[in-house]
Amino acid sequence: MDDVPSNLPFNAGSAESSPGPSGASGSSPGPSSTVLAIGTRKGLWLATSSDRVTWELRGPEFAMTEVPSLAFDARSGTPRLLAGVRSEWWGPNVAVSEDLGHTWQEPQEQAIAFPEDTGATLERIWQLRPDTAGRPGVVWAGCEPISVFRSEDGGRHFELVRGLWDHPHRPQWGAGYGGPAAHTVLPSPVDDSVHVAISSGGVYRSDDRGDSWDAFNSGIIANFMPQEYPEFGQCVHKVARDAGNPERLYAQNHGGVYRSDDAGDQWISIADGLPADFGFVMLAHPSRPDTVWTIPLGSAGERNPPQGRPAVYRSTNAGEDWERFDAGLPAYDFNAVLRDAADVDTADPAGIYFGTRGGEVYASADEGETFNLVAANLPDVLCVRAVRT
């Protein structure tokens, strides 16, 4: 893909089709369009669709640069796109686009940097998360080494959240297979609480906007540790918040799928009905309570779809039951889907999107019941984010 021009458009209408030229480059999304940002090991692609079935793809932006985190910030009306980029030469930074990826602003100095007294160096930005509409300038970042930063100016400058960095548990947090990461940040829409998921460290919650933090992992197993149910140390892969009940959370772990009905005080297993309890993805419907999706993988030692048959599983009753969907997906595929390589949009019905480590990206316009191919033969997909315009 190194020789692909940055404005080359593609089109894919179904899982059986192959991307091919279709349309003028640099076109802006029209009314009621969906824009899909796809971050990979070697750049960023953007796909646009008016029907969420046929897509026009352009890229790469940031060629030969890792893009592990993305966020659309639509709180001001016109979506802004934030990208956590990581160059082997220049290191990690946050780039901002005001026109859906056509032009970019990237500060010469790092937007996220550790204070000198920490002795730490930023390795990767795992998560970018705009706060609620009531806090229009606040953006959170989850990073490696394990840390959380907060911006008050829309993501241009960030400050370290010292309450988590100075936590007495931090020296005992470990590194997940992909590295030590604070990969999920969930600010509450109703109060001052914030949840952070750490691989490997577990779920932590602050009730005062990040000044102080406590571990909330009761009921989550860590069968790779001497004590199976420790206070902290669990390898949480992703956490999502329910649309109807802000205290209801869903978690996909390194072995285990869970729900909490009390903001993390206690977790219960909801893995029954799934072919495996390992995976990385957990998505919650943006407006319909009790509806969630996950994409299981066989096991920690076999990070492929179970039996090599990829599928998305949906529950509409908070994990009590699960339904399997694979229409439009390959009969066989041995590529995993990473924790942030999946997203759900705000349309009705909601769109579901995910990308694989084999470089394929799929979209569903009917809440996961059928899928169409957006793009193929991209680099390893690390992050997918969708926005309606």
Side-chain angles (χ1 to χ4, degrees), residues 173-375:
W173 293 337
Y177 187 74
H183 55 69
T184 302
V185 184
L186 292 176
S188 171
V190 296
D191 58 29
D192 287 336
S193 66
V194 183
H195 287 81
V196 169
I198 296 168
S199 178
S200 54
V203 177
Y204 282 74
R205 189 181 82 206
S206 171
D207 292 325
D208 52 17
R209 303 297 295 167
D211 288 341
S212 61
W213 298 82
D214 291 298
F216 285 85
N217 299 291
S218 180
I220 299 178
I221 196 170
N223 53 16
F224 49 85
M225 297 182 67
Q227 182 183 351
E228 286 196 335
Y229 290 93
E231 178 188 1
F232 64 95
Q234 289 85 347
C235 190
V236 183
H237 285 179
K238 198 64 187 174
V239 179
R241 190 186 301 275
D242 189 79
N245 179 0
E247 293 199 341
R248 174 166 284 178
L249 304 171
Y250 306 92
Q252 170 67 67
N253 283 254
H254 185 110
V257 184
Y258 297 93
R259 186 186 78 226
S260 173
D261 297 325
D262 49 18
D265 287 355
Q266 183 69 38
W267 296 86
I268 60 172
S269 175
I270 55 171
D272 287 349
L274 293 171
D277 65 1
F278 186 88
F280 292 97
V281 173
M282 181 58 72
L283 298 173
H285 199 290
S287 59
R288 186 173 302 130
D290 301 338
T291 299
V292 289
W293 296 264
T294 190
I295 303 176
L297 300 176
S299 67
E302 185 183 345
R303 302 184 180 208
N304 304 314
Q307 292 80 50
R309 296 181 177 274
V312 173
Y313 283 75
R314 184 182 71 194
S315 174
T316 57
N317 55 7
E320 297 296 330
D321 302 285
W322 295 93
E323 189 173 1
R324 184 181 192 275
F325 297 103
D326 65 359
L329 300 181
Y332 290 94
D333 191 326
F334 292 88
N335 288 291
V337 180
L338 299 179
R339 62 171 57 89
D340 276 320
D343 199 22
V344 54
D345 69 22
T346 56
D348 186 15
I352 305 297
Y353 310 91
F354 71 88
T356 76
R357 302 205 70 176
E360 281 70 50
V361 180
Y362 297 94
S364 169
D366 53 14
E367 308 208 337
E369 296 189 12
T370 61
F371 286 88
N372 291 287
L373 187 67
V374 176

Side-chain angles (χ1 to χ4, degrees), residues 134-184:
R135 301 182 179 94
V138 177
V139 178
W140 299 81
C143 298
E144 176 187 343
I146 296 168
S147 56
V148 171
F149 288 74
R150 182 174 58 224
S151 170
E152 303 286 344
D153 62 2
R156 292 177 175 83
H157 306 90
F158 289 79
E159 298 293 333
L160 176 65
V161 176
R162 296 296 304 233
L164 188 65
W165 180 257
D166 295 332
H167 198 284
H169 292 172
R170 186 174 66 83
Q172 300 176 66
W173 293 337
Y177 187 74
H183 55 69
T184 302

